[in-house]
Structure formats: structure tokens, C-alpha cells
Coordinates of all heavy atoms in Angstrom, one line a residue:
N19 N 40.6 19.0 0.2 CA 41.3 19.9 -0.7 C 42.8 19.3 -1.1 O 43.2 19.5 -2.2 CB 41.5 21.3 -0.1 CG 40.2 22.1 -0.1 OD1 39.3 21.8 -0.9 ND2 40.1 23.0 0.8
I20 N 43.4 18.8 -0.1 CA 44.7 18.1 -0.4 C 44.6 17.0 -1.5 O 45.3 17.0 -2.5 CB 45.4 17.5 0.9 CG1 45.8 18.6 1.8 CG2 46.5 16.6 0.6 CD1 46.3 18.1 3.1
G21 N 43.5 16.2 -1.3 CA 43.3 15.1 -2.2 C 42.9 15.7 -3.6 O 43.4 15.1 -4.7
L22 N 42.1 16.7 -3.6 CA 41.6 17.3 -4.9 C 42.8 17.9 -5.6 O 42.8 17.8 -6.9 CB 40.4 18.2 -4.6 CG 39.2 17.5 -4.0 CD1 38.2 18.6 -3.6 CD2 38.6 16.6 -5.0
K23 N 43.6 18.5 -4.9 CA 44.7 19.3 -5.6 C 45.7 18.3 -6.2 O 46.3 18.6 -7.2 CB 45.5 20.2 -4.6 CG 44.6 21.4 -4.3 CD 45.4 22.3 -3.2 CE 44.6 23.5 -2.8 NZ 45.3 24.3 -1.8
K24 N 45.8 17.1 -5.6 CA 46.8 16.1 -6.1 C 46.2 15.2 -7.0 O 46.9 14.3 -7.6 CB 47.5 15.4 -4.9 CG 48.3 16.3 -4.0 CD 49.0 15.5 -2.9 CE 49.9 16.5 -2.1 NZ 50.7 15.7 -1.0
S25 N 44.9 15.3 -7.3 CA 44.1 14.5 -8.1 C 44.7 14.6 -9.6 O 45.0 15.6 -10.1 CB 42.6 14.7 -8.1 OG 42.0 14.0 -9.2
S26 N 44.8 13.4 -10.3 CA 45.1 13.4 -11.7 C 44.0 12.9 -12.5 O 44.2 12.2 -13.6 CB 46.3 12.6 -11.9 OG 46.1 11.2 -11.5
S27 N 42.8 13.0 -12.0 CA 41.6 12.4 -12.7 C 41.2 13.2 -13.9 O 41.7 14.3 -14.2 CB 40.4 12.3 -11.7 OG 39.9 13.6 -11.5
D28 N 40.3 12.6 -14.7 CA 39.8 13.4 -16.0 C 38.8 14.4 -15.7 O 38.4 15.2 -16.7 CB 39.3 12.3 -16.9 CG 40.3 11.3 -17.4 OD1 41.4 11.8 -17.7 OD2 40.0 10.1 -17.4
L29 N 38.1 14.3 -14.5 CA 37.0 15.3 -14.3 C 37.4 16.5 -13.4 O 38.2 16.4 -12.5 CB 36.0 14.6 -13.4 CG 35.4 13.3 -14.2 CD1 34.4 12.7 -13.2 CD2 34.7 13.7 -15.4
A30 N 36.9 17.6 -13.8 CA 37.0 18.8 -13.1 C 36.0 18.8 -11.9 O 36.2 19.6 -10.9 CB 36.9 20.0 -13.9
H31 N 35.0 18.0 -12.1 CA 34.0 17.8 -11.0 C 33.3 16.5 -11.3 O 33.4 15.9 -12.5 CB 32.9 19.0 -11.0 CG 32.2 19.1 -12.3 ND1 32.6 20.0 -13.3 CD2 31.1 18.6 -12.7 CE1 31.8 19.9 -14.3 NE2 30.8 19.1 -14.0
Y32 N 32.6 16.0 -10.3 CA 31.9 14.7 -10.5 C 30.5 15.0 -11.2 O 29.8 15.7 -10.6 CB 31.8 13.9 -9.2 CG 31.2 12.5 -9.5 CD1 32.0 11.5 -10.0 CD2 29.9 12.3 -9.4 CE1 31.5 10.3 -10.2 CE2 29.3 11.1 -9.7 CZ 30.1 10.1 -10.2 OH 29.6 8.8 -10.5
D33 N 30.3 14.3 -12.3 CA 29.1 14.5 -13.0 C 28.5 13.1 -13.3 O 29.1 12.3 -14.0 CB 29.3 15.2 -14.3 CG 28.0 15.6 -15.1 OD1 27.0 14.9 -14.9 OD2 28.1 16.4 -16.0
T34 N 27.3 12.7 -12.7 CA 26.8 11.4 -12.9 C 26.5 11.2 -14.4 O 26.4 9.9 -14.8 CB 25.5 11.2 -12.1 OG1 24.5 12.3 -12.4 CG2 25.8 11.2 -10.5
G35 N 26.2 12.2 -15.1 CA 26.0 12.0 -16.5 C 27.3 11.6 -17.2 O 27.2 11.0 -18.4
M36 N 28.4 12.0 -16.8 CA 29.6 11.7 -17.5 C 30.3 10.4 -17.0 O 31.1 9.9 -17.8 CB 30.7 12.9 -17.2 CG 30.3 14.2 -17.8 SD 31.3 15.5 -17.5 CE 32.8 14.9 -18.3
S37 N 29.9 9.9 -15.9 CA 30.6 8.7 -15.4 C 29.5 7.7 -14.8 O 29.6 7.3 -13.6 CB 31.6 9.1 -14.4 OG 32.4 7.9 -14.0
R38 N 28.5 7.4 -15.5 CA 27.5 6.5 -15.0 C 28.1 5.1 -14.7 O 27.6 4.4 -13.9 CB 26.3 6.5 -16.0 CG 25.6 7.7 -15.9 CD 24.4 7.7 -17.0 NE 24.9 7.8 -18.3 CZ 24.1 7.5 -19.4 NH1 22.9 7.4 -19.2 NH2 24.6 7.6 -20.6
M39 N 29.1 4.8 -15.5 CA 29.7 3.4 -15.4 C 30.2 3.3 -14.0 O 30.1 2.3 -13.3 CB 30.8 3.2 -16.4 CG 31.5 1.9 -16.4 SD 30.3 0.5 -16.4 CE 30.1 0.5 -18.3
F40 N 31.0 4.3 -13.5 CA 31.5 4.4 -12.1 C 30.4 4.2 -11.1 O 30.6 3.5 -10.1 CB 32.4 5.6 -11.8 CG 33.0 5.6 -10.5 CD1 34.0 4.7 -10.1 CD2 32.5 6.4 -9.4 CE1 34.5 4.7 -8.9 CE2 33.1 6.4 -8.2 CZ 34.1 5.5 -7.9
Q41 N 29.2 4.9 -11.3 CA 28.1 4.9 -10.4 C 27.6 3.5 -10.4 O 27.3 2.9 -9.2 CB 27.1 5.9 -10.8 CG 25.8 5.8 -10.1 CD 25.3 7.1 -9.4 OE1 26.0 8.1 -9.6 NE2 24.3 7.1 -8.8
E42 N 27.5 2.9 -11.5 CA 26.9 1.6 -11.5 C 27.9 0.6 -10.8 O 27.4 -0.3 -10.1 CB 26.8 1.2 -13.0 CG 26.3 -0.3 -13.2 CD 26.3 -0.8 -14.6 OE1 26.0 0.0 -15.5 OE2 26.5 -2.0 -14.9
V43 N 29.2 0.7 -11.0 CA 30.1 -0.2 -10.3 C 30.0 0.0 -8.8 O 30.0 -0.9 -8.0 CB 31.6 0.1 -10.8 CG1 32.6 -0.6 -9.9 CG2 31.7 -0.3 -12.2
M44 N 29.9 1.2 -8.4 CA 29.8 1.5 -6.9 C 28.5 1.0 -6.3 O 28.6 0.3 -5.3 CB 29.8 3.0 -6.7 CG 31.1 3.7 -7.0 SD 32.3 3.3 -5.7 CE 31.7 4.1 -4.3
E45 N 27.5 1.1 -7.1 CA 26.2 0.6 -6.5 C 26.2 -1.0 -6.5 O 25.5 -1.6 -5.7 CB 25.0 1.1 -7.4 CG 24.7 2.5 -7.2 CD 23.7 3.0 -8.3 OE1 23.2 2.2 -9.2 OE2 23.2 4.2 -8.1
R46 N 26.9 -1.6 -7.4 CA 26.9 -3.1 -7.4 C 27.8 -3.6 -6.3 O 27.5 -4.7 -5.9 CB 27.4 -3.5 -8.7 CG 27.4 -5.0 -9.0 CD 27.5 -5.4 -10.5 NE 28.7 -4.8 -11.1 CZ 28.6 -3.9 -12.1 NH1 27.4 -3.5 -12.5 NH2 29.6 -3.4 -12.7
N47 N 28.8 -2.9 -5.9 CA 29.8 -3.4 -5.0 C 29.7 -2.9 -3.6 O 30.3 -3.4 -2.6 CB 31.3 -3.2 -5.5 CG 31.6 -4.1 -6.7 OD1 31.9 -5.2 -6.6 ND2 31.4 -3.5 -8.0
T48 N 29.0 -1.8 -3.4 CA 29.1 -1.2 -2.1 C 27.7 -0.8 -1.6 O 26.7 -0.8 -2.3 CB 29.9 0.1 -2.1 OG1 29.1 1.2 -2.8 CG2 31.2 0.0 -2.9
N49 N 27.7 -0.3 -0.3 CA 26.5 0.3 0.3 C 26.7 1.7 0.4 O 26.4 2.4 1.4 CB 26.3 -0.4 1.7 CG 24.9 -0.1 2.2 OD1 23.9 0.2 1.4 ND2 24.6 -0.2 3.4
I50 N 27.2 2.2 -0.7 CA 27.6 3.7 -0.6 C 26.8 4.3 -1.8 O 26.7 3.8 -2.8 CB 29.0 3.9 -1.0 CG1 30.0 3.3 0.1 CG2 29.4 5.4 -1.0 CD1 31.5 3.2 -0.2
F51 N 26.1 5.5 -1.5 CA 25.4 6.1 -2.5 C 25.9 7.5 -2.8 O 26.5 8.1 -1.9 CB 23.9 6.1 -2.3 CG 23.5 7.1 -1.3 CD1 23.0 8.4 -1.7 CD2 23.5 6.8 0.1 CE1 22.4 9.3 -0.9 CE2 23.1 7.8 1.0 CZ 22.6 9.1 0.5
Y52 N 25.7 8.0 -4.0 CA 26.1 9.4 -4.3 C 25.2 10.4 -3.7 O 24.0 10.2 -3.8 CB 26.0 9.5 -5.9 CG 26.4 10.8 -6.4 CD1 27.6 11.4 -6.4 CD2 25.3 11.6 -7.0 CE1 27.7 12.7 -6.8 CE2 25.5 12.8 -7.5 CZ 26.7 13.4 -7.4 OH 27.0 14.7 -7.9
A53 N 25.9 11.4 -3.1 CA 25.2 12.4 -2.3 C 25.0 13.7 -2.9 O 23.9 14.2 -2.9 CB 25.8 12.6 -0.9
R54 N 26.0 14.3 -3.5 CA 26.0 15.6 -4.0 C 27.1 15.9 -5.0 O 28.1 15.2 -5.0 CB 26.0 16.6 -2.9 CG 27.4 16.6 -2.2 CD 27.5 17.7 -1.2 NE 28.7 17.5 -0.3 CZ 29.9 18.0 -0.7 NH1 30.0 18.7 -1.8 NH2 30.9 17.8 0.1
W55 N 27.0 16.8 -5.8 CA 28.1 17.3 -6.6 C 27.9 18.8 -6.8 O 26.9 19.3 -7.1 CB 28.3 16.5 -7.8 CG 27.3 16.7 -8.9 CD1 26.1 16.0 -9.1 CD2 27.4 17.5 -10.1 NE1 25.5 16.4 -10.2 CE2 26.2 17.4 -10.8 CE3 28.4 18.5 -10.5 CZ2 26.0 18.0 -12.0 CZ3 28.1 19.1 -11.7 CH2 26.9 18.9 -12.4
T56 N 29.0 19.5 -7.0 CA 29.0 20.9 -7.1 C 29.7 21.3 -8.4 O 30.9 21.0 -8.6 CB 29.7 21.7 -6.0 OG1 29.1 21.3 -4.8 CG2 29.7 23.2 -6.2
P57 N 29.1 21.7 -9.5 CA 29.6 22.1 -10.8 C 30.5 23.3 -10.6 O 30.0 24.4 -10.3 CB 28.5 22.3 -11.7 CG 27.4 22.7 -10.8 CD 27.6 21.9 -9.5

């Protein structure tokens, strides 16, 4: 909650349809996968 309150990002929530480019970058560089999101 501390991080989210101080966030200056463009998103009010994470939406894979709105930021597929970030998802692609994550999958290409990491062993981390997207788990959930709450609209």
C-alpha cells in the first residue's frame, strides 16, 4: 500500500490488455510471470 500510494504510474490497476509490451519485456528477461490483477 505504501508503494501503491506513492506510485506515479499511468495505471489505476494492472491490465494485461493495456500493457502487453511490459508483459512481453518481463517474459523475455525474467523468470517471473503475471499472477493476478484486481480491477
